[in-house]
Amino acid sequence: MFGCKCFRWSKISDLTSREPDTFILPAPIPQWPQECSGTGFASGTIKLRELEVHKVSKFEFVWGCNLSQDRKQGVSFYKPRGVPDGFFSLGHYCQSNNKPLRGFVLVAREVAKPEPVDHCNGNPCLPALQNPLDYTLVWSSNDGTEENIDGSGYFWLPQPPEGYKALGFIATSKPVKPELGEVKCVRADLTDECETYRLILKTSSVLSEVLAIWSIRPRHRGMHGIGISVGSFFCSSYWSTGQELNIACLKNFDTSHQAMPNLDQIHAIIRHYGPTLFFHPDEAYLPSSVQWFFDNGAMLYTRGDSVAKPIEPDGSNLPGGGTNDCQYWIDLPSDVRRDIVKFGNLQSAKLYVHVKPALGGTFTDLAMWIFCPFNGPATLKVGVVNVPLSKVGQHVGDWEHFTLRVSNFTGELWSIYFSQHSGGECVDACDLEFIAGNKAIVYSSKDGHASFPHPGNYIQGSSKLGIGIRNDAARSNLYVDSSTQYEIMAAEYLGHGAVSEPCWLQYMREWGPTIIYDSRKELEKIVSRLPIVVRNSVQSICDKLPMELFKEEGPTGPKEKNNWVGDERW
């Protein structure tokens, strides 16, 4: 995001002297397997009832603004280039210049109406697409001087006819209104609500009104979400968080998920994109397969029953369904195998993959889950001092994941979500580290197993002050290759029986015991010994750490997590 008090408004010649760098994946995208019946995956277009949409990733530069003479310290605005015959633009695209050009906008065309069309109530339906009636100038960089008219930026909001919605803004370099056919508006019943996502630009220039620009995303997301991002941006000089946007996104009514990959294609996607998960060279608590964990003596406990039961290798004697009622939990073996199981078994480890629709079925999410029998204790960092904690953060059973997002238009890896304790981050493919072809690297942090896109020392607390819980990530010879060591555990959209979900996936209770101890006292003792100049800062940061660090509690399994059905927390 860029924000400043005074911008240098670039003329077209400043930014069109060379083509912007465009990101492409390290290796070509393969030809995905096709079955006789065929699917719509990676076919280039997706049908949405009365509309067919196509993804355009080639752009024509319109206008840009810089923080300085450095072109990378600014943003640029583009219109789609090479729109197929019969398709129409819905809005323009914007991104910062500090990354290679990589984005998309959807273009749409009307197709034959499906039968029956129940939303028309017996009356002739309006067309799915219509020209706007007019445009409203939302903002301009022109300071009023005649010499700045050419090369200034102008942002226009389409004014839709009654019963229609605008889906994006238009940027121009001249004060003349765009032609009415520059973009189309979409009939309101074919749209869904959208929301602002990432702030791209905010200005407070003394020469013009404040301007803020955001990327946008559907408000209703997750496995059952039907909102579709069109790739455009939202801009305003007065909008504040919580207000309804004056643009919308598309809606997918197709419950057949015709653009999602079939089972053969899923395997091909994983083989082509499956990341290598590296563990820290000093990692003691390694992953294992769930079956290895059960085979080596994991026990099922029932509240009120002092006798634990061995778990069957496939987990078939675990209570299934329902929600976490805290009546059952899993624990390590109580015999001599306890310390052996605690440290895992890397040779048996695999990634358990949940495949699901994202953004209205225009993307496929492959959530890859890894299981570790034990999560180690944390280390507190205070400046240059590192304090190992004896209990804080440790627990039996650890489920962590990262998620690949793949475009259903092209089969291209778009981003990876890295789960990190109570949150996470979504990283675009252009910012990933690749190890072989299009296979990225995921780094698992020492003891806590949070995932990161690059090696380093990440602080859960205040990185500015250098105070918080350490998350150390580095490459080593301890790794799991998800492109070969994986199991597809669920893909509900394929229909009943297409994927056999393992018995243990239906276990909604805890994968470790709950042990209450006052670990805050451990931190308080440490804090009390610190120099008074940093004591208050450390105490304040410790007070904000999640409660899960201060008691030993096994996590619930993947299917009990809110991101099993919902979108990731980003």
Side-chain angles (χ1 to χ4, degrees):
M1 184 273 289
F2 296 101
C4 71
K5 294 182 179 179
C6 186
F7 260 72
R8 172 179 177 266
W9 304 115
S10 302
K11 294 183 178 181
I12 293 179
S13 59
D14 293 331
L15 293 174
T16 56
S17 58
R18 65 178 179 86
E19 284 290 316
D21 295 329
T22 301
F23 173 79
I24 57 173
L25 290 167
I29 299 175
Q31 182 69 41
W32 307 109
Q34 298 289 329
E35 59 183 18
C36 294
S37 59
T39 68
F41 177 70
S43 65
T45 61
I46 296 177
K47 292 182 179 178
L48 313 173
R49 197 165 78 175
E50 297 176 46
L51 291 176
E52 186 176 43
V53 290
H54 178 82
K55 188 178 86 167
V56 175
S57 298
K58 294 182 178 180
F59 299 104
E60 177 184 331
F61 175 81
V62 175
W63 183 76
C65 53
N66 284 357
L67 282 168
S68 65
Q69 294 290 340
D70 183 0
R71 180 186 181 278
K72 291 185 177 181
Q73 298 299 310
V75 296
S76 294
F77 300 85
Y78 303 89
K79 62 188 296 184
R81 184 177 67 189
V83 177
D85 291 342
F87 285 82
F88 300 95
S89 174
L90 303 173
H92 287 183
Y93 175 71
C94 170
Q95 77 162 54
S96 60
N97 295 336
N98 61 359
K99 293 184 178 182
L101 178 59
R102 186 175 190 258
F104 71 91
V105 291
L106 298 187
V107 296
R109 69 177 177 185
E110 198 165 354
V111 295
K113 296 180 177 67
E115 297 293 340
V117 184
D118 53 9
H119 64 275
C120 294
N121 297 320
N123 299 317
C125 275
L126 296 172
L129 300 172
Q130 284 274 45
N131 285 342
L133 300 176
D134 198 359
Y135 293 95
T136 299
L137 180 64
V138 176
W139 185 88
S140 171
S141 68
N142 180 22
D143 60 5
T145 58
E146 185 176 345
E147 63 268 20
N148 283 340
I149 292 179
D150 286 340
S152 294
Y154 301 85
F155 297 95
W156 308 88
L157 174 65
Q159 296 301 305
E162 184 177 357
Y164 288 80
K165 295 277 190 180
L167 273 70
F169 288 77
I170 293 179
T172 67
S173 59
K174 295 183 181 297
V176 181
K177 286 184 180 181
E179 295 183 2
L180 294 180
E182 177 75 16
V183 294
K184 294 287 186 180
C185 298
V186 178
R187 202 174 66 230
D189 62 290
L190 301 177
T191 68
D192 203 6
E193 296 178 0
C194 63
E195 65 182 20
T196 57
Y197 176 33
R198 290 172 172 164
L199 182 62
I200 302 173
L201 168 70
K202 188 171 185 179
T203 74
S204 54
S205 172
V206 295
L207 301 177
S208 57
E209 290 184 289
V210 171
L211 171 69
I213 295 176
W214 292 265
S215 62
I216 54 177
R217 64 182 182 181
R219 184 179 299 276
H220 307 120
R221 299 183 305 281
M223 188 164 70
H224 302 303
I226 57 176
I228 296 173
S229 173
V230 299
S232 56
F233 63 90
F234 173 75
C235 69
S236 177
S237 59
Y238 60 85
W239 181 87
S240 60
T241 303
Q243 288 182 301
E244 184 177 349
L245 302 190
N246 48 17
I247 58 174
C249 64
L250 289 172
K251 183 187 295 184
N252 191 356
F253 294 90
D254 183 10
T255 59
S256 67
H257 299 293
Q258 53 88 19
M260 292 289 292
N262 60 40
L263 194 56
D264 288 340
Q265 290 166 338
I266 292 172
H267 284 292
I269 290 169
I270 296 173
R271 288 193 296 267
H272 186 73
Y273 291 124
T276 298
L277 177 61
F278 280 100
F279 292 86
H280 194 276
D282 297 327
E283 180 63 70
Y285 305 105
L286 291 167
S288 76
S289 70
V290 173
Q291 183 175 342
W292 182 91
F293 181 56
F294 293 163
D295 282 342
N296 284 271
M299 306 294 288
L300 174 66
Y301 285 80
T302 305
R303 188 170 301 280
D305 189 346
S306 60
V307 180
K309 298 177 181 178
I311 302 174
E312 296 294 331
D314 61 355
S316 56
N317 63 329
L318 291 171
T323 57
N324 181 24
D325 53 13
C326 299
Q327 296 301 304
Y328 303 89
W329 65 91
I330 295 173
D331 203 351
L332 299 168
S334 56
D335 55 24
V336 293
R337 295 175 293 178
R338 185 177 183 86
D339 285 339
I340 297 174
V341 173
K342 190 175 185 178
F343 297 111
N345 180 265
L346 192 62
Q347 290 70 36
S348 69
K350 63 175 72 173
L351 279 299
Y352 297 96
V353 186
H354 178 209
V355 189
K356 55 183 178 177
L359 300 180
T362 55
F363 287 84
T364 294
D365 274 2
L366 297 96
M368 294 189 159
W369 293 84
I370 189 81
F371 174 73
C372 297
F374 195 78
N375 190 92
T379 297
L380 178 66
K381 176 179 173 61
V382 184
V384 296
V385 178
N386 297 300
V387 184
L389 304 175
S390 60
K391 292 182 179 180
V392 176
Q394 73 176 24
H395 56 80
V396 174
D398 191 27
W399 280 105
E400 299 290 347
H401 78 286
F402 53 88
T403 299
L404 280 64
R405 180 158 287 183
V406 175
S407 170
N408 289 344
F409 288 97
T410 61
E412 180 183 6
L413 174 66
W414 200 253
S415 61
I416 295 181
Y417 173 83
F418 295 82
S419 177
Q420 298 159 1
H421 306 300
S422 56
E425 61 176 324
C426 185
V427 178
D428 294 337
C430 61
D431 293 321
L432 297 173
E433 183 179 336
F434 291 90
I435 187 171
N438 292 333
K439 297 179 174 70
I441 293 177
V442 176
Y443 294 91
S444 178
S445 65
K446 180 178 177 292
D447 295 337
H449 309 132
S451 57
F452 295 91
H454 304 288
N457 305 122
Y458 300 88
I459 301 297
Q460 187 180 1
S462 173
S463 56
K464 182 178 181 180
L465 297 176
I467 301 172
I469 301 298
R470 290 184 64 119
N471 288 270
D472 297 334
R475 193 187 297 201
S476 72
N477 60 358
L478 305 172
Y479 64 88
V480 181
D481 181 355
S482 71
S483 69
T484 57
Q485 296 166 264
Y486 72 91
E487 176 184 330
I488 299 174
M489 64 175 175
E492 295 91 339
Y493 72 91
L494 290 176
H496 181 71
V499 174
S500 297
E501 297 186 3
C503 294
W504 54 259
L505 184 58
Q506 319 311 321
Y507 174 71
M508 302 298 181
R509 281 78 176 184
E510 293 167 347
W511 286 69
T514 297
I515 303 174
I516 304 296
Y517 48 75
D518 196 357
S519 58
R520 282 194 178 274
K521 287 185 177 179
E522 182 180 355
L523 279 178
E524 288 171 0
K525 288 180 182 178
I526 294 170
V527 171
S528 66
R529 297 171 188 155
L530 296 173
I532 194 167
V533 292
V534 298
R535 191 181 302 165
N536 290 339
S537 296
V538 175
Q539 185 64 60
S540 175
I541 290 169
C542 289
D543 289 342
K544 296 176 182 178
L545 293 173
M547 283 300 298
E548 63 209 46
L549 283 172
F550 300 105
K551 62 179 180 178
E552 186 171 330
E553 182 177 32
T556 52
K559 208 167 188 177
E560 182 68 5
K561 309 294 187 186
N562 56 16
N563 59 338
W564 181 268
V565 173
D567 199 9
E568 301 288 3
R569 293 172 288 187
W570 50 294

